[in-house]
Amino acid sequence: MEDARIVELYWERDEAAIAESSAKYGGYCYQIAFRILALREDAEECVGDTWLRAWEAMPPSRPGRLDTFLGKITRNLSLDRYHGSRVQKRNGSYDLALSELEGCLAAAGDAQTELEARELAEALNRFLSGLSKEDRQLFVCRYYLAQPVKDIAARLKVKSSGVSLRLFRIREKLKKYLEREGLIQ
């Protein structure tokens, strides 16, 4: 079913919207959740919660890209669960992806106000818009979707070492960019 029709089903309050969303994007949302949480049961629960959140959000929201809309909901739910359980256990692959960015971004405790966080988000968006499409995709796959380097490399049909090197160079550019913007020292 086309995305526009699925969105219409949500607006019509037709429960078939959930079944159609699950059929079309269940695997995609599960992968996002699993990369962050690394536990099948938690990932499945976040995906189930995604359909409820989408139901609650439409209307009034009318997403232009349903896959992005659902993926963002899943990611946010997964991150909330991840941070809630982080004290008890750690997810090595997601922690690794985040630790790669530590040299570029200030620690969460350093951001004193919501304004500073917004400035950082705007600077990050400007930085990403200046990257090539492929570098931007690499960055998003690794640091937003938390995809393992080997999976990114397999999808691009290149060596993992090549992806790692490009990500390293992107992080270095990001760090210099944020220093120039006065957002990190």
Side-chain angles (χ1 to χ4, degrees), residues 52-99:
L52 175 62
R53 288 280 175 94
W55 183 264
E56 293 169 347
M58 292 185 277
S61 294
R62 187 179 290 274
R65 293 215 34 183
L66 187 58
D67 59 342
T68 304
F69 181 78
L70 296 173
K72 184 176 181 179
I73 291 172
T74 303
R75 182 178 184 275
N76 289 340
L77 288 167
S78 300
L79 286 173
D80 289 347
R81 180 174 292 252
Y82 171 79
H83 291 304
S85 67
R86 189 171 182 196
V87 174
Q88 299 163 356
K89 57 191 172 216
R90 295 179 60 86
N91 173 349
S93 65
Y94 193 65
D95 287 338
L96 177 61
L98 293 179
S99 71

Side-chain angles (χ1 to χ4, degrees), residues 17-34:
I18 294 172
E20 294 293 336
S21 296
S22 181
K24 188 167 184 180
Y25 294 113
Y28 167 71
C29 291
Y30 176 83
Q31 287 298 316
I32 293 170
F34 187 78

Side-chain angles (χ1 to χ4, degrees), residues 119-135:
E119 288 175 358
L120 180 60
E122 289 170 5
L124 185 58
N125 285 331
R126 286 191 305 273
F127 171 77
L128 290 173
S129 69
L131 294 178
S132 69
K133 181 179 179 181
E134 192 170 275
D135 282 350

Side-chain angles (χ1 to χ4, degrees), residues 59 80 131 146-147 159 161 181:
D80 289 347
L131 294 178
Q147 293 179 352
K159 293 182 180 180
S161 60
E181 293 285 314

Side-chain angles (χ1 to χ4, degrees), residues 120-185:
L120 180 60
E122 289 170 5
L124 185 58
N125 285 331
R126 286 191 305 273
F127 171 77
L128 290 173
S129 69
L131 294 178
S132 69
K133 181 179 179 181
E134 192 170 275
D135 282 350
R136 190 169 42 251
Q137 288 175 337
L138 280 173
F139 189 91
V140 169
C141 286
R142 180 68 179 142
Y143 302 115
Y144 185 79
L145 299 175
Q147 293 179 352
V149 169
K150 66 180 175 83
D151 291 357
I152 298 169
R155 194 182 86 243
L156 296 176
K157 297 181 175 98
V158 298
K159 293 182 180 180
S160 292
S161 60
V163 171
S164 294
L165 180 60
R166 286 182 64 190
L167 288 168
F168 173 78
R169 289 179 178 158
I170 293 168
R171 288 192 309 271
E172 289 296 307
K173 286 180 189 177
L174 174 61
K175 184 176 179 181
K176 288 177 184 175
Y177 179 82
L178 294 176
E179 286 171 348
R180 280 194 311 270
E181 293 285 314
L183 294 169
I184 63 169
Q185 298 177 353

